[in-house]
Amino acid sequence: MIKAGIVGGTGYTGVELLRLLVAHKDVELSVITSRSEVGQAVSGLYPNLRGHIKINFSEPDFESLAQCDVVFFATPNGTAMKMAPQLLEAGCKIIDLAADFRLKDTGVWQQWYGMEHACPDILEEAVYGLPEINREAIKKARIIANPGCYPTAVNLGYIPLVENGLIDDMHLIADAKSGVSGAGRGATVSTLLCEATESVKAYGVDGHRHLPEIRQVLGSVAGHEVGLTFVPHLMPMIRGIEATLYGVLKVDVEDLRQIYLERYKGEPFVDVLPSGLAPETRSVKGSNMCRISIFRPQGGNTVVVSSVIDNLMKGAAGQAVHNMNLMFGLDEVTGINQVALLP
Amino acid sequence: MIKAGIVGGTGYTGVELLRLLVAHKDVELSVITSRSEVGQAVSGLYPNLRGHIKINFSEPDFESLAQCDVVFFATPNGTAMKMAPQLLEAGCKIIDLAADFRLKDTGVWQQWYGMEHACPDILEEAVYGLPEINREAIKKARIIANPGCYPTAVNLGYIPLVENGLIDDMHLIADAKSGVSGAGRGATVSTLLCEATESVKAYGVDGHRHLPEIRQVLGSVAGHEVGLTFVPHLMPMIRGIEATLYGVLKVDVEDLRQIYLERYKGEPFVDVLPSGLAPETRSVKGSNMCRISIFRPQGGNTVVVSSVIDNLMKGAAGQAVHNMNLMFGLDEVTGINQVALLP
Amino acid sequence: MIKAGIVGGTGYTGVELLRLLVAHKDVELSVITSRSEVGQAVSGLYPNLRGHIKINFSEPDFESLAQCDVVFFATPNGTAMKMAPQLLEAGCKIIDLAADFRLKDTGVWQQWYGMEHACPDILEEAVYGLPEINREAIKKARIIANPGCYPTAVNLGYIPLVENGLIDDMHLIADAKSGVSGAGRGATVSTLLCEATESVKAYGVDGHRHLPEIRQVLGSVAGHEVGLTFVPHLMPMIRGIEATLYGVLKVDVEDLRQIYLERYKGEPFVDVLPSGLAPETRSVKGSNMCRISIFRPQGGNTVVVSSVIDNLMKGAAGQAVHNMNLMFGLDEVTGINQVALLP
Amino acid sequence: MIKAGIVGGTGYTGVELLRLLVAHKDVELSVITSRSEVGQAVSGLYPNLRGHIKINFSEPDFESLAQCDVVFFATPNGTAMKMAPQLLEAGCKIIDLAADFRLKDTGVWQQWYGMEHACPDILEEAVYGLPEINREAIKKARIIANPGCYPTAVNLGYIPLVENGLIDDMHLIADAKSGVSGAGRGATVSTLLCEATESVKAYGVDGHRHLPEIRQVLGSVAGHEVGLTFVPHLMPMIRGIEATLYGVLKVDVEDLRQIYLERYKGEPFVDVLPSGLAPETRSVKGSNMCRISIFRPQGGNTVVVSSVIDNLMKGAAGQAVHNMNLMFGLDEVTGINQVALLP
């Protein structure tokens, strides 16, 4: 059994991680920390876990975390980078679900996150945990930067096109839509039911933190910097991201879908849909799957890709467990091959 | 492996049953029939099942169903009773998720369902599949009447009070609220998103088919007929039933909650909440749990019970699999102990 | 033109009042105060008002309010009672949308609201602003206690039965369901979209502040104290209250609906529905109407009434404007006879 | 008083038109036809109208319609073009809310709508009823093609850029999101609450009927054909369209927002938001306003415009009444300057 710890398990990413880990056959959850909820039963905060978990939230202390084989950080940005060096030293593996280790360039990180990076050397070592591009590196990693939710949906949708140089990658346009759970469980007016339901809006148009993360990944598969306009939107629902991606073809391609099928052949969590069918976010609700469709409207030279994930699963906790499975040599789908809840 | 068949797998009960059975370690799903979808891939109708199921919908024919160890009917009322005699004869076990075998009195059945019963002898044999009252009979049954969704929530909430003669059972009041999935997947104006979201209404106030079913169960645990006013309401959401139950105490009881704890001790799918906390339907979304709270407002003589279930799980498919597990001697929680999806 | 002021216009009751008053042909809105938003344009906080209102939020100061003919309080409980004496002295009329003047018994008020009442003499003078029982008194009042949302729905539903002594009023049961806007615009975790959508729950079962208010009104029309169990529920939607009311008939009545038709004859904001049809909350969304149906299931002796209102209109701002119209001798439907927004 | 008739008033466009017309001070609604509901009270089908309208649905017969000053068609495509010639002959003015008179090229119309056009000469005469580009022509028109919902949102967002030749109009990208009411009140599985809530999807990616309509308008303001990729999405809500529009600047412009302010100066139903603020669809719920924001992310050469409308108001019934006001010389905001319902 893998002994697992969670730092900061009170948000939506945390409770989703708990849902997966309490049912994972190879994991024993030994510690969950939360400064704000010390001593409270985890199932008191999350009644869906009643009967599935007995432990209480504890102080985030080094001693108990150091006993774990793997520590997940489901904390605000800036927390994991402070505790990572000591835990790695103690022999723990680390999976950070926040952004501390996602951007390789510390300058860019500081610009978008407003903090100086606490451990640039470990940042250099950290592996970006998108299995579809980094599977082998993940298997050998000590520390994983678990990808952001929007970047996962956008990158999986763009990779086959960008990797093969098929589109003009200086003018990419990603129009993404997310459920409200992506904004977290903090008490803010803008995410109240009465503010967010029965409404749609763009936000962060002038610049969202996931922009440099997407550009880093696509730039790496392209082999050069890419140009991207990324506009996220808030949807009146809990879970799910749909990213509609636009690109202008540079070369003529007979069967775009075939390129996706080949690129993702054997991937357990990427599903390329039949032609003509756009994916619904509900088809992945509670599941770790990313479903993708490719279109070429009216046979023109603009490609349209629609990519959907559950932001709390493939966009956060599910992908984190996928990374853990890879790091510990387990069958990679263990504990994350749930069928989506529909309806 | 248990060979299972589903008759009529295109509704919400059907797809939920599929979600459970494709992941059930002791079941092999061998046939799913649907007159309207013959030849279509199941995962074509339900994209959440892509990658989890390979078979197609077939004609409901006797030969292939007769090969099954168990046949689930997720059909409109009146279908199962026509096929049951022959299938039982062939050695199949049957679990009917519709209402054909729920009401023991054929006269009452005919009154509420508007059809003559096709096989009164089998009706007599059929066991009402509420494990919390009929576990031993279910284990030995050939044919199960899987309970209705409202009756499950209401009966589990009332049983400890009625069984012990604690309340005036001639004036029971059950005010129940259900998500729209209870109305099924048929294309009707009243269940369109634009008609049913952002609104609440009572319906069936003059008489709902689940009324005689609830009265039958409570009458049986009381040992005499009971009087019940049952008012269902439609809620603007997909899944979940909350039943608020009212009763006037006949005897003084010091600790009502203790009576519930004792009654449901050891029950894997009934959870009595801590005092003062009312259950939310989302705490059971996608799970087979029923969560119950008991109140005595201002210490008066009126008892208030709140009982929640997921209508598609404990109220339909989950309870059906629970019954199957019992009928085949499996660990009864196999395949239905999922943690609820929250948020 | 009536010069109107609003104290505390930043919550949902406030913005609804603004929606009505900016379009009211006899009202000039001259001041809106908010401690937290001083100097901000009202249309900056509420973009739906862009183009309809030019003024900014100001400090709640006596001088500017004293210039008004009428001052609405859309404040937390305990605010209006501190400013009321001085404003009445200055000749203003007052309509309090909070609870400060609703309960006639200061002891009961203190018990449920946890504060000592600041002006018991004015409390005595204040008129409970439910036009259907107090129209003439409202016309002459200087200060109005605008009714609570649940009490409005429940009382209008029960009044014809209780007033005429038709039911056992010692065992009334009111099961009420409300949209989330009733909880206000404060940033709390429990009213986040991800917590409150796709879920239903009872709350305040052990005692809700609207209980004594309902009992006061029904006691007054009955001529004696009544017994009431009141259970509110939170619904996954923005607006609307549905109250399902239960009562046991003491006398046989041939046509219950007729009694409602007579009681509410000529009332502009009470609509008794045709037999057999239960009202939907969406049929009053954004309107000041209360729609009511009466049932006697299976011809038994239990009466069931379903009553719906928009909690922000007939349950708050709409009724406040109704009261203002009456106090100033206007046609009472002025500015509040909007058709509900459907769908 | 203007005598108005509605043909086909049973859908969502119809009921919204009714909401506006019954409260319009210069209109007398004299006939509403519906083949399927002949004889039924309008307020029986739409309970929000109880107390506001007394008439019943009638057969669509020429005689009674010919008495009207104006006839609105809220019918399926292909109906208005059959009745228009005779009604015009009789002296009626016509406003068609369907698509019969939107596309000037009968070949294009036939290609997208699958029918031959019944009256090409009247098509030629018909004025496209977007007041922001055709106000003077509308005033003089006998017959109006009321614009589609998506085209209204997209065109108002693009016009200032395209009209002034500021962007590359051969590669326009419009990513639009609509509430479910846009799909109408027909009973279809895909618009059931359980299918459409808590989910987002693209649809019609290969070609949507609003594509040629948008291209026609933008082509006309550009003075040449434009290239457009248009991808609509279905949102889990009732009302509202948000269109996010992308374009690559051809010339450098110092203040894009200023260009919008000038273009829409004096327009009563276009609101250009302050810089940096993206519009929410709820800010126009139930109102006839279009709110627009302009962005230039990271100061690059890609412009992003977000445009929101209520699809049933500015996208249908509200704009139809606007056109009627113009045709009959009324103050153009009469009856359609409601404040949006928020929350």
Side-chain angles (χ1 to χ4, degrees), chain D residues 60-81:
Chain D
D61 87 299
F62 173 73
E63 296 309 323
S64 54
L65 291 170
Q67 311 293 318
C68 297
D69 300 307
V70 62
V71 174
F72 294 89
F73 283 88
T75 44
N77 299 318
T79 303
M81 68 184 183

PDB file of all heavy atoms in Angstrom, chain D residues 60-81:
ATOM      1  N   PRO D  60     -55.655  30.204 -37.670  1.00  0.00           N
ATOM      2  CA  PRO D  60     -55.001  31.247 -38.460  1.00  0.00           C
ATOM      3  C   PRO D  60     -55.842  31.560 -39.709  1.00  0.00           C
ATOM      4  O   PRO D  60     -55.614  30.983 -40.761  1.00  0.00           O
ATOM      5  CB  PRO D  60     -53.650  30.640 -38.855  1.00  0.00           C
ATOM      6  CG  PRO D  60     -53.697  29.199 -38.500  1.00  0.00           C
ATOM      7  CD  PRO D  60     -54.919  28.927 -37.707  1.00  0.00           C
ATOM      8  N   ASP D  61     -56.836  32.438 -39.573  1.00  0.00           N
ATOM      9  CA  ASP D  61     -57.637  32.728 -40.760  1.00  0.00           C
ATOM     10  C   ASP D  61     -57.388  34.155 -41.240  1.00  0.00           C
ATOM     11  O   ASP D  61     -57.117  35.077 -40.467  1.00  0.00           O
ATOM     12  CB  ASP D  61     -59.129  32.464 -40.490  1.00  0.00           C
ATOM     13  CG  ASP D  61     -59.809  33.658 -39.903  1.00  0.00           C
ATOM     14  OD1 ASP D  61     -59.398  34.077 -38.793  1.00  0.00           O
ATOM     15  OD2 ASP D  61     -60.751  34.174 -40.518  1.00  0.00           O
ATOM     16  N   PHE D  62     -57.459  34.279 -42.538  1.00  0.00           N
ATOM     17  CA  PHE D  62     -57.090  35.528 -43.190  1.00  0.00           C
ATOM     18  C   PHE D  62     -57.955  36.698 -42.738  1.00  0.00           C
ATOM     19  O   PHE D  62     -57.471  37.804 -42.487  1.00  0.00           O
ATOM     20  CB  PHE D  62     -57.179  35.363 -44.710  1.00  0.00           C
ATOM     21  CG  PHE D  62     -56.980  36.652 -45.449  1.00  0.00           C
ATOM     22  CD1 PHE D  62     -55.706  37.226 -45.529  1.00  0.00           C
ATOM     23  CD2 PHE D  62     -58.055  37.314 -46.026  1.00  0.00           C
ATOM     24  CE1 PHE D  62     -55.518  38.422 -46.193  1.00  0.00           C
ATOM     25  CE2 PHE D  62     -57.867  38.522 -46.679  1.00  0.00           C
ATOM     26  CZ  PHE D  62     -56.596  39.080 -46.767  1.00  0.00           C
ATOM     27  N   GLU D  63     -59.257  36.452 -42.607  1.00  0.00           N
ATOM     28  CA  GLU D  63     -60.179  37.543 -42.321  1.00  0.00           C
ATOM     29  C   GLU D  63     -59.805  38.310 -41.061  1.00  0.00           C
ATOM     30  O   GLU D  63     -59.719  39.535 -41.060  1.00  0.00           O
ATOM     31  CB  GLU D  63     -61.620  37.005 -42.206  1.00  0.00           C
ATOM     32  CG  GLU D  63     -62.166  36.412 -43.491  1.00  0.00           C
ATOM     33  CD  GLU D  63     -62.009  37.349 -44.688  1.00  0.00           C
ATOM     34  OE1 GLU D  63     -62.157  38.570 -44.513  1.00  0.00           O
ATOM     35  OE2 GLU D  63     -61.703  36.851 -45.799  1.00  0.00           O
ATOM     36  N   SER D  64     -59.596  37.571 -39.973  1.00  0.00           N
ATOM     37  CA  SER D  64     -59.334  38.268 -38.719  1.00  0.00           C
ATOM     38  C   SER D  64     -57.948  38.921 -38.729  1.00  0.00           C
ATOM     39  O   SER D  64     -57.753  40.000 -38.176  1.00  0.00           O
ATOM     40  CB  SER D  64     -59.496  37.319 -37.534  1.00  0.00           C
ATOM     41  OG  SER D  64     -58.697  36.181 -37.715  1.00  0.00           O
ATOM     42  N   LEU D  65     -56.981  38.271 -39.382  1.00  0.00           N
ATOM     43  CA  LEU D  65     -55.645  38.865 -39.453  1.00  0.00           C
ATOM     44  C   LEU D  65     -55.658  40.134 -40.303  1.00  0.00           C
ATOM     45  O   LEU D  65     -54.951  41.100 -40.006  1.00  0.00           O
ATOM     46  CB  LEU D  65     -54.638  37.854 -40.021  1.00  0.00           C
ATOM     47  CG  LEU D  65     -54.323  36.672 -39.093  1.00  0.00           C
ATOM     48  CD1 LEU D  65     -53.526  35.610 -39.826  1.00  0.00           C
ATOM     49  CD2 LEU D  65     -53.580  37.133 -37.841  1.00  0.00           C
ATOM     50  N   ALA D  66     -56.468  40.129 -41.329  1.00  0.00           N
ATOM     51  CA  ALA D  66     -56.499  41.276 -42.241  1.00  0.00           C
ATOM     52  C   ALA D  66     -57.018  42.541 -41.562  1.00  0.00           C
ATOM     53  O   ALA D  66     -56.796  43.655 -42.036  1.00  0.00           O
ATOM     54  CB  ALA D  66     -57.339  40.938 -43.469  1.00  0.00           C
ATOM     55  N   GLN D  67     -57.710  42.376 -40.447  1.00  0.00           N
ATOM     56  CA  GLN D  67     -58.187  43.535 -39.678  1.00  0.00           C
ATOM     57  C   GLN D  67     -57.061  44.229 -38.915  1.00  0.00           C
ATOM     58  O   GLN D  67     -57.258  45.321 -38.391  1.00  0.00           O
ATOM     59  CB  GLN D  67     -59.239  43.093 -38.639  1.00  0.00           C
ATOM     60  CG  GLN D  67     -60.343  42.205 -39.161  1.00  0.00           C
ATOM     61  CD  GLN D  67     -61.247  42.953 -40.129  1.00  0.00           C
ATOM     62  OE1 GLN D  67     -61.591  44.102 -39.881  1.00  0.00           O
ATOM     63  NE2 GLN D  67     -61.593  42.317 -41.247  1.00  0.00           N
ATOM     64  N   CYS D  68     -55.929  43.537 -38.774  1.00  0.00           N
ATOM     65  CA  CYS D  68     -54.850  44.071 -37.928  1.00  0.00           C
ATOM     66  C   CYS D  68     -54.030  45.127 -38.677  1.00  0.00           C
ATOM     67  O   CYS D  68     -53.881  45.073 -39.897  1.00  0.00           O
ATOM     68  CB  CYS D  68     -53.914  42.943 -37.508  1.00  0.00           C
ATOM     69  SG  CYS D  68     -54.725  41.694 -36.491  1.00  0.00           S
ATOM     70  N   ASP D  69     -53.479  46.070 -37.896  1.00  0.00           N
ATOM     71  CA  ASP D  69     -52.536  47.021 -38.477  1.00  0.00           C
ATOM     72  C   ASP D  69     -51.178  46.348 -38.690  1.00  0.00           C
ATOM     73  O   ASP D  69     -50.450  46.659 -39.620  1.00  0.00           O
ATOM     74  CB  ASP D  69     -52.371  48.221 -37.548  1.00  0.00           C
ATOM     75  CG  ASP D  69     -53.687  48.945 -37.324  1.00  0.00           C
ATOM     76  OD1 ASP D  69     -54.325  49.305 -38.326  1.00  0.00           O
ATOM     77  OD2 ASP D  69     -54.086  49.125 -36.149  1.00  0.00           O
ATOM     78  N   VAL D  70     -50.845  45.444 -37.788  1.00  0.00           N
ATOM     79  CA  VAL D  70     -49.567  44.746 -37.904  1.00  0.00           C
ATOM     80  C   VAL D  70     -49.745  43.287 -37.500  1.00  0.00           C
ATOM     81  O   VAL D  70     -50.482  42.976 -36.563  1.00  0.00           O
ATOM     82  CB  VAL D  70     -48.476  45.427 -37.036  1.00  0.00           C
ATOM     83  CG1 VAL D  70     -48.842  45.407 -35.551  1.00  0.00           C
ATOM     84  CG2 VAL D  70     -47.105  44.782 -37.240  1.00  0.00           C
ATOM     85  N   VAL D  71     -49.109  42.410 -38.252  1.00  0.00           N
ATOM     86  CA  VAL D  71     -49.155  40.984 -37.940  1.00  0.00           C
ATOM     87  C   VAL D  71     -47.727  40.489 -37.696  1.00  0.00           C
ATOM     88  O   VAL D  71     -46.840  40.682 -38.535  1.00  0.00           O
ATOM     89  CB  VAL D  71     -49.794  40.172 -39.080  1.00  0.00           C
ATOM     90  CG1 VAL D  71     -49.706  38.675 -38.791  1.00  0.00           C
ATOM     91  CG2 VAL D  71     -51.239  40.594 -39.293  1.00  0.00           C
ATOM     92  N   PHE D  72     -47.532  39.903 -36.516  1.00  0.00           N
ATOM     93  CA  PHE D  72     -46.244  39.276 -36.192  1.00  0.00           C
ATOM     94  C   PHE D  72     -46.317  37.789 -36.518  1.00  0.00           C
ATOM     95  O   PHE D  72     -47.285  37.118 -36.132  1.00  0.00           O
ATOM     96  CB  PHE D  72     -45.941  39.419 -34.698  1.00  0.00           C
ATOM     97  CG  PHE D  72     -45.723  40.828 -34.229  1.00  0.00           C
ATOM     98  CD1 PHE D  72     -46.787  41.622 -33.787  1.00  0.00           C
ATOM     99  CD2 PHE D  72     -44.438  41.371 -34.198  1.00  0.00           C
ATOM    100  CE1 PHE D  72     -46.584  42.919 -33.340  1.00  0.00           C
ATOM    101  CE2 PHE D  72     -44.232  42.673 -33.752  1.00  0.00           C
ATOM    102  CZ  PHE D  72     -45.304  43.449 -33.320  1.00  0.00           C
ATOM    103  N   PHE D  73     -45.309  37.275 -37.169  1.00  0.00           N
ATOM    104  CA  PHE D  73     -45.212  35.827 -37.390  1.00  0.00           C
ATOM    105  C   PHE D  73     -44.177  35.231 -36.434  1.00  0.00           C
ATOM    106  O   PHE D  73     -42.991  35.534 -36.527  1.00  0.00           O
ATOM    107  CB  PHE D  73     -44.823  35.513 -38.833  1.00  0.00           C
ATOM    108  CG  PHE D  73     -45.967  35.651 -39.794  1.00  0.00           C
ATOM    109  CD1 PHE D  73     -46.243  36.874 -40.391  1.00  0.00           C
ATOM    110  CD2 PHE D  73     -46.794  34.575 -40.086  1.00  0.00           C
ATOM    111  CE1 PHE D  73     -47.314  37.020 -41.273  1.00  0.00           C
ATOM    112  CE2 PHE D  73     -47.862  34.702 -40.971  1.00  0.00           C
ATOM    113  CZ  PHE D  73     -48.130  35.929 -41.559  1.00  0.00           C
ATOM    114  N   ALA D  74     -44.663  34.410 -35.504  1.00  0.00           N
ATOM    115  CA  ALA D  74     -43.766  33.690 -34.601  1.00  0.00           C
ATOM    116  C   ALA D  74     -43.913  32.209 -34.914  1.00  0.00           C
ATOM    117  O   ALA D  74     -44.160  31.385 -34.057  1.00  0.00           O
ATOM    118  CB  ALA D  74     -44.120  34.011 -33.149  1.00  0.00           C
ATOM    119  N   THR D  75     -43.755  31.919 -36.175  1.00  0.00           N
ATOM    120  CA  THR D  75     -44.041  30.605 -36.739  1.00  0.00           C
ATOM    121  C   THR D  75     -42.756  29.888 -37.159  1.00  0.00           C
ATOM    122  O   THR D  75     -41.698  30.501 -37.221  1.00  0.00           O
ATOM    123  CB  THR D  75     -44.905  30.795 -38.000  1.00  0.00           C
ATOM    124  OG1 THR D  75     -44.334  31.877 -38.755  1.00  0.00           O
ATOM    125  CG2 THR D  75     -46.322  31.138 -37.643  1.00  0.00           C
ATOM    126  N   PRO D  76     -42.853  28.602 -37.471  1.00  0.00           N
ATOM    127  CA  PRO D  76     -41.699  27.919 -38.063  1.00  0.00           C
ATOM    128  C   PRO D  76     -41.353  28.554 -39.417  1.00  0.00           C
ATOM    129  O   PRO D  76     -42.209  29.195 -40.043  1.00  0.00           O
ATOM    130  CB  PRO D  76     -42.204  26.486 -38.266  1.00  0.00           C
ATOM    131  CG  PRO D  76     -43.323  26.328 -37.300  1.00  0.00           C
ATOM    132  CD  PRO D  76     -43.968  27.681 -37.205  1.00  0.00           C
ATOM    133  N   ASN D  77     -40.110  28.361 -39.851  1.00  0.00           N
ATOM    134  CA  ASN D  77     -39.694  28.889 -41.148  1.00  0.00           C
ATOM    135  C   ASN D  77     -40.603  28.356 -42.244  1.00  0.00           C
ATOM    136  O   ASN D  77     -40.999  27.199 -42.227  1.00  0.00           O
ATOM    137  CB  ASN D  77     -38.245  28.482 -41.447  1.00  0.00           C
ATOM    138  CG  ASN D  77     -37.283  29.023 -40.405  1.00  0.00           C
ATOM    139  OD1 ASN D  77     -37.406  30.175 -39.992  1.00  0.00           O
ATOM    140  ND2 ASN D  77     -36.347  28.193 -39.967  1.00  0.00           N
ATOM    141  N   GLY D  78     -40.962  29.211 -43.199  1.00  0.00           N
ATOM    142  CA  GLY D  78     -41.754  28.765 -44.324  1.00  0.00           C
ATOM    143  C   GLY D  78     -43.231  29.100 -44.223  1.00  0.00           C
ATOM    144  O   GLY D  78     -43.980  28.921 -45.188  1.00  0.00           O
ATOM    145  N   THR D  79     -43.661  29.587 -43.092  1.00  0.00           N
ATOM    146  CA  THR D  79     -45.079  29.923 -42.932  1.00  0.00           C
ATOM    147  C   THR D  79     -45.371  31.350 -43.383  1.00  0.00           C
ATOM    148  O   THR D  79     -46.322  31.595 -44.135  1.00  0.00           O
ATOM    149  CB  THR D  79     -45.501  29.760 -41.457  1.00  0.00           C
ATOM    150  OG1 THR D  79     -45.222  28.423 -41.056  1.00  0.00           O
ATOM    151  CG2 THR D  79     -46.988  30.054 -41.287  1.00  0.00           C
ATOM    152  N   ALA D  80     -44.581  32.279 -42.915  1.00  0.00           N
ATOM    153  CA  ALA D  80     -44.865  33.689 -43.200  1.00  0.00           C
ATOM    154  C   ALA D  80     -44.873  33.977 -44.700  1.00  0.00           C
ATOM    155  O   ALA D  80     -45.706  34.735 -45.193  1.00  0.00           O
ATOM    156  CB  ALA D  80     -43.830  34.573 -42.500  1.00  0.00           C
ATOM    157  N   MET D  81     -43.951  33.350 -45.434  1.00  0.00           N
ATOM    158  CA  MET D  81     -43.852  33.674 -46.861  1.00  0.00           C
ATOM    159  C   MET D  81     -45.095  33.249 -47.635  1.00  0.00           C
ATOM    160  O   MET D  81     -45.379  33.781 -48.693  1.00  0.00           O
ATOM    161  CB  MET D  81     -42.581  33.075 -47.469  1.00  0.00           C
ATOM    162  CG  MET D  81     -42.541  31.566 -47.556  1.00  0.00           C
ATOM    163  SD  MET D  81     -40.906  30.986 -48.189  1.00  0.00           S
ATOM    164  CE  MET D  81     -41.203  29.220 -48.260  1.00  0.00           C
TER     165      MET D  81
END
